Amino acid sequence: MDPNTRGPEEYGHEGDGQGPRQRPPRESLTPDFSQHAPALARTVQLVSGDFLLTVNPVDGSEIEVCPPAERPARPVKLGTAERAEAERAALPPVPPGPAQPALPLLARQDEREQLVRLLARGRTVRLVGPAGSGRTRLLDLVAEDCSDLAPDGVVRLNGFGRTSGELLYDLFYAVYKAPLHRPERDELLTHVREIGAVVVLDDLEFGGAALDELLEATPECAFLLGTTPDVPAPSADAAVEEVPLGGLDRAAGRELLEHAVGRPLTEEESNWAGDLWFESEGLPLRFVQAGALLRQRDRLRAGAADEFGPFEDTPPAETHDAAEGDEVSLPSLGEAAAPAPLLAARLSASARATLRFAVALGGEVPHQAHLPALVGDTHADAALGELAACGLVSAVGPRYRLAAGVPAQLEAAGYADEAEAGARSAAQHYSWWAGHPSVTPERVSAEADALLAALAVLTPLTVPPAEGEESAAVHLARTAAPAFAAGLHWNAWERTLRAGAEAARLAGDVAEQAYFHHELGVLALCRGQLDRARAELEAAVGLRGALSDKRGTVAGRRALALVADRSGTPLSLGPTAGEEVPDARYEESASPAEGVPAAFPTLQKPASPTLVTHRSTPASARAAQGGLKGVARRNLVAAGAGALLVAVLGTVMTLGATSDNDRHPPSDQVGVNPSASQGLSGGSLGADRPADDSNGDTGAATSRPTDPGPDGTPGTADDPTPTGEPSGSPSTGDPGATTKPPTSSKPPTTSKPPSTSKPPTTSKPPTTSKPPTSQPPTSESPTSQPPTATPTTSPSTSDTASGPAPSSPTTTTASASQSSSAPVI
């Protein structure tokens, strides 16, 4: 029926003849029949070192320097109740179903007492035993014995698939309360040094230098390390005690088998147990599995129902034999040595399906809460209890994995034939579950190993999806990566991003590939890996630029700007043409006599004895590296800037030059140290003022050239004095003013006192009786050339504005106060 056509049944009138009631007006922006708006993306803000990270699952995470108001307080240690909750979370969940009897720890009392004794003395102990030797069970009992030895109690950690750095963070979060805060490396080391606890670390997978790093970072902790013999040993300098853990003796193995069966063994079963002990080298796991075989044999013989329901999944022949009460033979020695296929064949359908999922996920058993959805049975969560009772799974931290040797046995029995289908089903389920708003990042992080296992299987098999479909691997990585980042499980975050980037590349999904590269760049920036962060972010910006993704591009460029700020390297490869012009404009007073300074020095000696030198500043040195094209562009811009300065300065200086009709005006006297004329306020023309100007005048600028005399130091007794000094010369009452008659070889100049506070009263140039010794440059007219002077001796190479050093050649200056930052021309 058309929803816009109103009928009587639509309003419950049943055609009673009455007109329909008035329908309320519909708002134009919220139509009644439109699709529901999608749920808002779940964003999380957390602090990582000096950065404020906003995990954005839509456009990519945003990172910035953390404002002071957003910085978290110093982490504090957990209280008693919080510590108990953390310890409970570190234990594996109790399987549903009837409680299984706890098996005793046999023939391990000596090792137990030795471990407690060493830990009480603060020593680090390494318990070495093969898989299935009961190592985890022994660690649990020792942890209970050492609960009151250290101030921070006992901390349980698991090293399966973890590095030393990740274990340090795990230790930090097990002791400190720091929600949404991931400290940087130095801060982390500061906090873990203050932890005094007995750390029980099972399934450790590294040794050598990595183990030394972990132990050196926690000097107040005593470690109890559980490893297998194939793990590298600690370094020779590490103070680690080693306690070996072997198999049980024959009597202990027989006793353990009786506890597992729940009854005394018959003579035939005892002989069978002796053969099993010889074959298994006394590993307790083999006797636990053998006990499960004997229990199944008893049920078959009795034809009874097991504790999980009727034994309907038993093969028909065995059920018929059991119903008639016939004798069921003992398993062969080969079946007892590899009992997984026989044990699985006698379990329920849900348990066998769970085993297939575990084999597909590389040995990871999904959490019992996911089994009903994965298997398709509402009571499938009880399958975990079946598997644990048979010894097919073992606890690994807060989760379960297939026991040692079980994956290979099940694969040989055909349980891996549908591994790809099982991994795909698990990926689809976890994608929906991880993206649900009710699922917290901590819960997703706890299931990280199963998600990563599904990604590891599906990523190499990814192909471009059909139209309207989506790659399962890409979807899972896209959904789980933000949850891992918000849950502070950054090792899983990195592995998910790399798998997602590879899957997106194989699927041809450029948008998702850009997202994963952006996230990898943000992660590298948080870890201080600036080069990797720059490479990943530039790749993401390039891909998003090709897709015209403006919001994603902006997020990437912001992160790149932060990388450039931290590394001190600009984003562009080099400066563009004209970028160094402002530096030259401030530092150069006028265009040189020989033209604009080139990037390369002049190789030929000029004909005139006057030498114009130019010392390149760091800015001009960088400009010289831009190539010939860049040099030409810079020269053009500098020429324009110099022409503008010449025009302005020439106009000002003409006022002083036209006040005398002498045929040798000061504008024709080119010196080796020209500078820009000062304004009326006494400040320099854009040049930086030196920090110490005690060697030069501090008054207003004068246009008369001065000569330091033969000694090269202005303001001394040998400075020449011009004849016919106008009224602008220093008065005789000025302290420190000394004069000397002019010589025949130098034009008359005005002496400059070493320190005066009163500026000259005029800028009229002096009169001379002898032409200068060298011709001034002809490229500039007297009206546009700033006042300079011509040296009569060897040119100076000094680049200071306060005057040349005493050991430098004689120079002349045209300014009473100069800036030390101006270049010498």
Side-chain angles (χ1 to χ4, degrees):
M1 177 178 179
D2 187 0
N4 294 324
T5 303
R6 294 172 295 180
E9 69 278 8
E10 187 176 356
Y11 301 98
H13 295 290
E14 298 298 335
D16 54 0
Q18 299 180 3
R21 61 185 178 183
Q22 184 68 27
R23 188 175 184 178
R26 179 187 303 170
E27 298 180 6
S28 59
L29 296 180
T30 57
D32 293 346
F33 304 101
S34 63
Q35 296 181 354
H36 295 286
L40 296 177
R42 180 176 57 189
T43 59
V44 178
Q45 273 193 347
L46 55 93
V47 177
S48 174
D50 296 334
F51 300 112
L52 178 63
L53 178 63
T54 303
V55 181
N56 184 0
V58 179
D59 301 317
S61 300
E62 299 179 4
I63 186 172
E64 59 181 332
V65 178
C66 184
E70 300 291 338
R71 293 189 178 275
R74 178 180 175 83
V76 296
K77 293 186 177 181
L78 299 175
T80 304
E82 295 171 331
R83 175 65 63 81
E85 179 65 21
E87 292 177 356
R88 187 197 63 80
L91 298 176
V94 178
Q100 298 295 326
L103 299 178
L105 186 67
L106 302 176
R108 302 299 190 193
Q109 189 63 27
D110 294 341
E111 291 84 353
R112 180 178 179 179
E113 294 177 355
Q114 182 181 4
L115 293 175
V116 174
R117 185 168 57 252
L118 291 174
L119 292 174
R121 293 187 295 182
R123 305 297 297 272
T124 293
V125 190
R126 185 170 179 259
L127 182 63
V128 183
S133 60
R135 186 185 62 248
T136 302
R137 176 63 174 157
L138 178 58
L139 293 179
D140 293 340
L141 295 179
V142 174
E144 296 177 1
D145 297 338
C146 300
S147 59
D148 56 349
L149 290 182
D152 294 323
V154 178
V155 178
R156 298 295 304 268
L157 299 178
N158 189 266
F160 183 80
R162 312 288 282 178
T163 63
S164 61
E166 293 170 333
L167 289 175
L168 287 177
Y169 277 104
D170 292 343
L171 178 61
F172 169 78
Y173 290 116
V175 177
Y176 286 93
K177 183 179 180 180
L180 299 178
H181 178 208
R182 184 179 176 89
E184 61 181 358
R185 178 73 177 182
D186 295 339
E187 184 180 359
L188 172 68
L189 296 178
T190 301
H191 291 310
V192 297
R193 287 192 186 100
E194 301 175 359
I195 298 177
V198 176
V199 182
V200 180
L201 178 57
D202 196 8
D203 298 314
L204 184 66
E205 294 183 338
F206 59 83
L211 181 58
D212 294 343
E213 178 185 358
L214 176 63
L215 299 180
E216 291 175 1
T218 54
E220 301 298 327
C221 293
F223 282 84
L224 176 56
L225 310 173
T227 63
T228 55
D230 58 339
V231 175
S235 61
D237 299 335
V240 179
E241 299 285 343
E242 185 167 320
V243 176
L245 186 65
L248 302 176
D249 55 16
R250 184 167 183 172
R254 183 178 182 275
E255 183 179 357
L256 180 60
L257 184 58
E258 289 181 348
H259 282 284
V261 178
R263 60 174 177 82
L265 300 179
T266 63
E267 183 177 358
E268 182 184 8
E269 292 173 344
S270 298
N271 296 331
W272 178 76
D275 296 338
L276 177 63
W277 172 83
F278 181 80
E279 190 277 333
S280 64
E281 298 180 355
L283 292 180
L285 178 62
R286 295 291 184 264
F287 291 96
V288 173
Q289 295 172 347
L293 288 175
L294 293 181
R295 291 198 306 269
Q296 290 180 352
R297 177 173 175 264
D298 292 343
R299 289 196 298 268
L300 288 174
R301 294 173 62 183
D306 62 1
E307 59 268 28
F308 298 106
F311 202 66
E312 72 278 1
D313 297 320
T314 305
E318 297 186 7
T319 305
H320 178 71
D321 294 339
E324 295 179 355
D326 297 338
E327 186 68 22
V328 179
S329 61
L330 286 171
S332 63
L333 188 59
E335 291 175 337
L342 182 58
L343 286 172
R346 295 173 178 177
L347 296 177
S348 63
S350 298
R352 292 198 298 270
T354 302
L355 290 176
R356 294 186 183 275
F357 276 107
V359 172
L361 297 179
E364 290 290 336
V365 179
H367 192 274
Q368 56 194 19
H370 298 283
L371 294 179
L374 290 173
V375 175
D377 183 7
T378 56
H379 301 286
D381 55 344
L384 182 61
E386 291 186 66
L387 300 178
C390 294
L392 295 179
V393 298
S394 59
V396 179
R399 63 189 190 279
Y400 288 92
R401 284 183 57 88
L402 293 180
V406 173
Q409 299 172 22
L410 293 178
E411 290 179 4
Y415 279 79
D417 295 343
E418 300 178 356
E420 180 181 352
R424 194 173 302 276
S425 299
Q428 294 174 355
H429 166 74
Y430 283 125
S431 298
W432 167 83
W433 174 73
H436 199 276
S438 64
V439 181
T440 61
E442 289 75 16
R443 292 178 59 189
V444 180
S445 299
E447 201 72 9
D449 293 272
L451 273 71
L452 292 173
L455 278 176
V457 175
L458 295 180
T459 298
L461 305 176
T462 303
V463 294
E467 185 176 358
E469 297 181 358
E470 188 175 8
S471 172
V474 174
H475 190 203
L476 177 59
R478 190 69 164 80
T479 308
F484 291 149
L488 298 178
H489 194 349
W490 282 14
N491 180 39
W493 185 25
E494 181 179 8
R495 294 173 59 185
T496 303
L497 293 176
R498 297 199 179 281
E502 178 65 15
R505 184 187 66 83
L506 296 175
D509 196 337
V510 180
E512 299 299 341
Q513 190 176 358
Y515 168 81
F516 291 124
H517 282 295
H518 175 87
E519 295 294 288
L520 285 171
V522 171
L523 175 61
L525 178 57
C526 291
R527 292 178 171 176
Q529 302 169 350
L530 300 181
D531 293 339
R532 178 177 294 181
R534 179 189 295 269
E536 296 287 354
L537 290 172
E538 287 178 350
V541 170
L543 292 174
R544 284 176 165 174
L547 296 173
S548 300
D549 184 2
K550 295 183 179 180
R551 298 180 60 180
T553 303
V554 169
R557 290 191 178 276
R558 287 176 178 174
L560 271 176
L562 190 56
V563 172
D565 179 70
R566 285 302 175 109
S567 62
T569 305
L571 295 179
S572 58
L573 296 178
T576 57
E579 286 184 352
E580 305 299 337
V581 173
D583 294 338
R585 183 178 300 172
Y586 281 106
E587 295 178 2
E588 295 183 5
S589 59
S591 179
E594 294 184 359
V596 180
F600 304 97
T602 304
L603 299 180
Q604 297 180 357
K605 182 177 181 180
S608 174
T610 301
L611 178 63
V612 180
T613 62
H614 176 74
R615 177 164 296 180
S616 299
T617 61
S620 60
R622 291 193 303 269
Q625 300 175 1
L628 296 179
K629 183 181 294 186
V631 169
R633 292 181 180 179
R634 284 172 173 76
N635 290 343
L636 291 177
V637 178
L644 179 61
L645 289 174
V646 166
V648 175
L649 297 175
T651 303
V652 176
M653 301 312 301
T654 302
L655 298 177
T658 55
S659 61
D660 196 349
N661 294 328
D662 187 76
R663 61 191 184 98
H664 300 292
S667 59
D668 291 341
Q669 301 175 6
V670 180
V672 296
N673 192 18
S675 64
S677 299
Q678 298 171 339
L680 298 177
S681 61
S684 61
L685 187 63
D688 298 334
R689 299 185 62 84
D692 186 6
D693 201 15
S694 60
N695 294 332
D697 294 337
T698 58
T702 179
S703 61
R704 285 176 295 178
T706 60
D707 195 341
D711 59 352
T713 303
T716 56
D718 61 346
D719 292 350
T721 303
T723 59
E725 181 69 15
S727 60
S729 60
S731 61
T732 57
D734 293 339
T738 58
T739 60
K740 185 179 181 178
T743 61
S744 59
S745 62
K746 296 183 180 179
T749 58
T750 304
S751 63
K752 185 175 73 172
S755 60
T756 60
S757 59
K758 183 177 180 181
T761 58
T762 181
S763 60
K764 183 176 180 181
T767 59
T768 59
S769 59
K770 186 176 181 179
T773 58
S774 62
Q775 293 296 330
T778 59
S779 59
E780 300 291 344
S781 61
T783 60
S784 61
Q785 177 71 18
T788 56
T790 304
T792 58
T793 61
S794 61
S796 170
T797 59
S798 172
D799 58 351
T800 61
S802 59
S807 60
S808 62
T810 303
T811 58
T812 58
T813 180
S815 175
S817 176
Q818 299 173 355
S819 173
S820 62
S821 61
V824 179
I825 300 177

